[in-house]
């Protein structure tokens, strides 16, 4: 969260053409780096930051989220959640700042289930499908000194 957003955007705009060329050289000729980066940012912003710690349970040799709503997320989103609720909210706030600074529009949440298709537009507006973690996260002196982060 200490990333200099304006500086990062400036560097990205400066080196963007080179990044695009390298992206194509490594085999992604049918895709644009800028598009994939924007999609990756939006993908992490789709994660609803939990209010507290997330319960995990051991399944065979690995741990899994006890709640299906977390276990059914993509691998990237599950790794993101393992940072802990405060860190997820802080990183999402920075990702929103970067997205806004780049001029990328926020994606429109897709309505994908029959149950949600029956929902009226005013109901959807009253209850957002994507979590908003924009508020600034207060600094924690202990974390600043030790570098310790929350992990479920």
């Amino acid at each position: 969260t200490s990333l200099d957003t304006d500086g990062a955007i400036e560097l990205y705009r400066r080196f963007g053409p080179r990044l695009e060329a390298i992206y194509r050289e490594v085999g992604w000729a049918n895709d644009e780096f800028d598009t994939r980066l924007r999609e990756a940012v939006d993908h992490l912003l789709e994660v609803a930051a939990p209010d507290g710690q997330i319960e995990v349970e051991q399944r065979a040799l690995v741990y899994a989220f006890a709640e299906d709503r977390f276990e059914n997320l993509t691998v990237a989103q599950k790794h993101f959640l393992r940072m802990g609720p405060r860190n997820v909210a802080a990183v999402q706030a920075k990702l929103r700042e970067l997205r806004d600074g780049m001029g990328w529009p926020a994606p429109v949440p897709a309505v994908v289930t029959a149950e949600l298709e029956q929902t009226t537009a005013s109901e959807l507006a009253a209850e957002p499908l994507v979590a908003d973690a924009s508020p600034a996260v207060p600094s924690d002196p202990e974390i600043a000194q030790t570098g310790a982060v929350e992990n479920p």
Side-chain angles (χ1 to χ4, degrees):
T1 59
S2 62
L3 175 72
D4 173 8
T5 305
D6 293 334
I9 291 168
E10 182 181 327
L11 282 173
Y12 180 73
R13 289 191 173 139
R14 179 176 175 193
F15 293 107
R18 183 65 184 133
L19 290 169
E20 191 69 48
I22 292 168
Y23 190 69
R24 291 181 185 279
E25 285 174 23
V26 297
W28 297 97
N30 296 329
D31 203 1
E32 292 183 7
F33 180 78
D34 188 72
T35 301
R36 287 299 293 150
L37 178 61
R38 183 170 26 92
E39 289 171 350
V41 167
D42 290 339
H43 185 67
L44 293 179
L45 289 173
E46 288 174 1
V47 175
D51 294 331
Q53 294 296 323
I54 300 171
E55 183 180 344
V56 294
E57 58 190 20
Q58 190 167 7
R59 294 184 184 171
L61 298 176
V62 298
Y63 283 88
F65 291 103
E67 293 184 48
D68 287 341
R69 68 185 175 122
F70 297 123
E71 189 57 34
N72 292 333
L73 295 173
T74 66
V75 172
Q77 290 172 326
K78 287 191 275 189
H79 281 294
F80 190 52
L81 277 178
R82 289 184 178 111
M83 295 173 58
R86 269 191 353 184
N87 293 323
V88 167
V91 171
Q92 284 183 329
K94 186 55 74 169
L95 288 173
R96 280 187 187 85
E97 192 177 317
L98 280 168
R99 182 180 64 197
D100 294 344
M102 292 295 293
W104 295 334
V108 176
V111 177
V112 294
T113 66
E115 178 183 86
L116 286 177
E117 288 173 358
Q118 303 300 319
T119 306
T120 66
S122 61
E123 290 172 321
L124 286 175
E127 192 170 1
L129 298 176
V130 179
D132 182 12
S134 298
V137 176
S139 62
D140 184 333
E142 183 178 329
I143 291 175
Q145 284 182 333
T146 65
V149 295
E150 305 166 8
N151 283 317

